Amino acid sequence: MGLPPRAIRILGIDPGLRVTGYGVIDQEGQKLSYVASGVVRTKDGELPERIQVLFAGIGEILEAYRPGACAVEKVFVNVNPQSTLLLGQARGAAIAALTAAGQSVYEYTALQVKQAVVGNGHADKRQVLHMVMRLLKLPGEPSMDASDALACAICHAHGGTGLGALTTAGRRRRGGRLL
Amino acid sequence: MGLPPRAIRILGIDPGLRVTGYGVIDQEGQKLSYVASGVVRTKDGELPERIQVLFAGIGEILEAYRPGACAVEKVFVNVNPQSTLLLGQARGAAIAALTAAGQSVYEYTALQVKQAVVGNGHADKRQVLHMVMRLLKLPGEPSMDASDALACAICHAHGGTGLGALTTAGRRRRGGRLL
């Protein structure tokens, strides 16, 4: 669990109300190493209790791995507005847990994550999983939620795109933020 | 600011990403007294920073007024999915701030709040404001966001409906929770 000297530890988060994936990697120059991954699950029930579980779960992950930066996947708008609202609430609670702990939070769209990890913004989840396993030399397959979170952390390690100064709509991106 | 003996202090929250209203009242039997109200504003900018401001702002309100219960308005799904997502994130961060401080959180729909305060679930915001001022004997007009938050606190004080055992779709409500 010790952080190598000159390495940066990155926590990736793929938020969801039922399942939130997380993935921790260390970056030392171009070298990425897997540290940990998993999920925070909340049981069906009242929303405030689920938010409490999610918030506390992320707090425990921060306590255990002490990352230097956090990358959170931007969620897409669901066709079902109620699902969008639930997902938004989970994401808000997850980001609150990170910022409340003094973490710097960077946001990446699924397109940016796929571009950075697979080199194709329209790659499917299996391709992302395959590349996550290859880039981090994983001996076994992580869950899809954990894989997406690890991919988000890799995206941050690669400077948001993995392709250097990619420009989108005339704006230069750095670290996932529109400048 | 002191809490009268046998009184319960209730914090109402009307969440929003730009403006979150809050209202604090004391309930002693049937008697309600105004304590404080206002808003937490976040400036345009990165979402994580706005969530941090909202989370910290609610933390300060809890610290200052130490409520015994919190009532949060259930937000409606907006026609614009992006707005729904932003609102959901604000609401998730607000609820996380409450539960992280060990507060019990109760949720009420706008319909329940209006029913409890005005006696008409389809009352408009002006009618809600008028009744909030009357019930709490306010000398001046609070902002609409603060009024909605105070109305939510009053709704909780009135047991969720103000009409006793109101039933909706065959389910009995108590304290805003579906039993």
Side-chain angles (χ1 to χ4, degrees):
Chain A
M1 223 86 97
L3 185 67
R6 289 177 305 136
I8 298 160
R9 179 157 291 178
I10 303 164
L11 168 63
I13 297 275
D14 180 32
L17 185 59
R18 201 175 56 78
V19 183
T20 290
Y22 72 90
V24 185
I25 63 172
D26 284 344
Q27 175 185 24
E28 207 181 344
Q30 291 298 304
K31 192 171 159 268
L32 303 181
S33 338
Y34 173 85
V35 177
S37 64
V39 296
V40 179
R41 276 179 205 283
T42 73
K43 285 187 287 190
D44 286 350
E46 299 287 340
L47 182 81
E49 284 148 39
R50 301 181 79 171
I51 281 182
Q52 185 173 20
V53 168
L54 174 52
F55 185 89
I58 289 178
E60 283 171 30
I61 294 161
L62 291 173
E63 192 70 34
Y65 301 106
R66 304 189 173 277
C70 299
V72 181
E73 187 154 332
K74 278 196 179 169
V75 295
F76 63 96
V77 165
N78 202 289
V79 284
N80 178 341
Q82 272 304 331
S83 302
T84 301
L85 191 59
L86 289 175
L87 189 53
Q89 290 173 124
R91 192 167 191 273
I95 292 175
L98 299 173
T99 59
Q103 291 286 330
S104 297
V105 178
Y106 301 86
E107 301 183 276
Y108 299 97
T109 62
L111 191 102
Q112 283 176 293
V113 171
K114 289 170 178 179
Q115 184 68 47
V117 175
V118 183
N120 167 9
H122 301 284
D124 66 24
K125 277 180 177 287
R126 292 296 311 173
Q127 288 175 286
V128 172
L129 177 72
H130 176 77
M131 281 307 294
V132 164
M133 289 180 67
R134 224 174 108 174
L135 289 168
L136 299 177
K137 301 181 185 67
L138 299 186
E141 216 172 80
S143 72
M144 276 297 176
D145 297 290
S147 164
D148 283 349
L150 286 166
C152 199
I154 294 168
C155 175
H156 181 75
H158 287 184
T161 63
L163 296 175
L166 193 85
T167 56
T168 308
R171 289 173 166 192
R172 187 175 284 264
R173 284 167 190 272
R174 190 175 66 197
R177 293 170 176 237
L178 287 170
L179 297 180
Chain B
M1 225 87 96
L3 185 67
R6 288 176 308 134
I8 298 160
R9 179 158 290 176
I10 303 164
L11 168 64
I13 296 275
D14 180 31
L17 185 60
R18 202 175 55 79
V19 183
T20 290
Y22 72 90
V24 185
I25 63 172
D26 285 345
Q27 175 185 26
E28 206 179 344
Q30 291 298 303
K31 190 170 160 270
L32 303 181
S33 338
Y34 173 85
V35 177
S37 64
V39 296
V40 179
R41 277 178 205 282
T42 73
K43 286 186 286 189
D44 285 352
E46 299 287 339
L47 183 80
E49 285 147 39
R50 301 182 79 172
I51 281 182
Q52 186 172 19
V53 168
L54 174 53
F55 185 89
I58 289 180
E60 283 171 29
I61 293 162
L62 291 173
E63 193 70 35
Y65 301 107
R66 304 191 172 274
C70 299
V72 181
E73 187 153 332
K74 278 196 178 168
V75 296
F76 64 95
V77 165
N78 201 291
V79 283
N80 178 342
Q82 273 303 334
S83 302
T84 301
L85 191 58
L86 289 176
L87 189 53
Q89 289 173 123
R91 191 167 192 272
I95 292 175
L98 299 174
T99 59
Q103 291 286 330
S104 296
V105 178
Y106 301 87
E107 300 182 278
Y108 299 98
T109 62
L111 192 100
Q112 284 177 293
V113 172
K114 289 171 178 179
Q115 184 69 47
V117 174
V118 182
N120 168 8
H122 300 285
D124 66 25
K125 277 180 177 286
R126 290 297 310 174
Q127 290 174 287
V128 172
L129 177 72
H130 176 78
M131 282 306 295
V132 164
M133 288 180 68
R134 221 172 112 175
L135 289 167
L136 299 177
K137 301 182 185 65
L138 299 185
E141 216 173 80
S143 71
M144 276 298 177
D145 297 289
S147 164
D148 284 350
L150 286 165
C152 199
I154 294 169
C155 174
H156 182 74
H158 287 184
T161 63
L163 297 174
L166 192 85
T167 57
T168 308
R171 287 175 166 193
R172 187 174 285 263
R173 283 168 191 272
R174 190 175 66 197
R177 293 171 177 237
L178 288 170
L179 297 180

